[in-house]
Amino acid sequence: MKLRMMSAFAILLCGRGLLHAWGDKGHRIVNGTMLKTLPPQVQAWYAGKEGYLRDHASDPDAWRAHDRKESPRHFVDTEIYGGAEKVPLDAAEAIQQVGSEAFKRNGQLTWVIQDRWKDLVEAFQSGDRDKIAFATAILGHYVGDAHVPLHSTRNHDGQETGQRGVHVRWESGLVERYVVESELKVRPAQVDPDVMKAPWKWLRDSYVLAPKVLASDKEADRTAPANLRGTRREGAYWTIFWAEQRETVMQCLERSSEALGDLVISAWVSAGKPSVK
Ligand SMILES: [Zn+2]
């Protein structure tokens, strides 16, 4: 009971900070699978670094514990701007539109991806393989978050629709139970001439998927006995939720890895296509 009260208190304190996109398994998969998308001359920079990319895929989630500014770097509540289509590209414009407090509170994910991508360009310019691995692992985390549908909406945990906990059920519950990494299929990375705008596209795509995630959760929930709702779910719930969301979960993981591959190859080109010495 004491523990329960403490965790309720922790939730009150941290609020959204406790939600971890993709869970560790999903983030590890995104970073590791990305390597498959790269051409050999870029892949060479990551020789022996796959374990590192996976092991550090969730670092930004851990940073939330000691940095209060970290949590809003993992999402954008697009409704504040009038929907995912209307989120300004320019942070200054976003601040002007909603005020700096609301800008801070409603998330900065897309702008953070731009900044972390610039870190990766600098890392390639430095030719330091450790720096490249670190910058890639961190960038990969945020790219993964941008592909989680519920990271694009104010109703991020189903709190407005009586579905609290759906966030973790989708990104961790399903991924940990069902995703087999070897079943993911990814296309080769492509240089993106509009690389700085890409995160806004991912956000729009995520926002389109969010209502179906919530609808599938509701549908699966109809099968669970009322006394189990809100805390844990039974086998039937998971079977139905997975049947409804399998394609979306797999596609979001694949797209995350592909998008990260596009950012990596674009950063490498921007850095002047350095080759490993
Ligand atoms: Zn995150």
Side-chain angles (χ1 to χ4, degrees), residues 226-238:
N227 63 339
L228 292 179
R229 279 179 209 156
T231 49
R232 53 200 179 89
R233 297 295 193 274
E234 287 195 320
Y237 166 87
W238 291 109

Side-chain angles (χ1 to χ4, degrees), residues 19-21 27 60-61 64 74 141-142 145 151:
L19 301 171
H20 292 185
H27 281 298
D61 278 339
R64 297 171 194 226
H74 299 242
H141 179 91
Y142 296 112
D145 279 359
H151 277 239

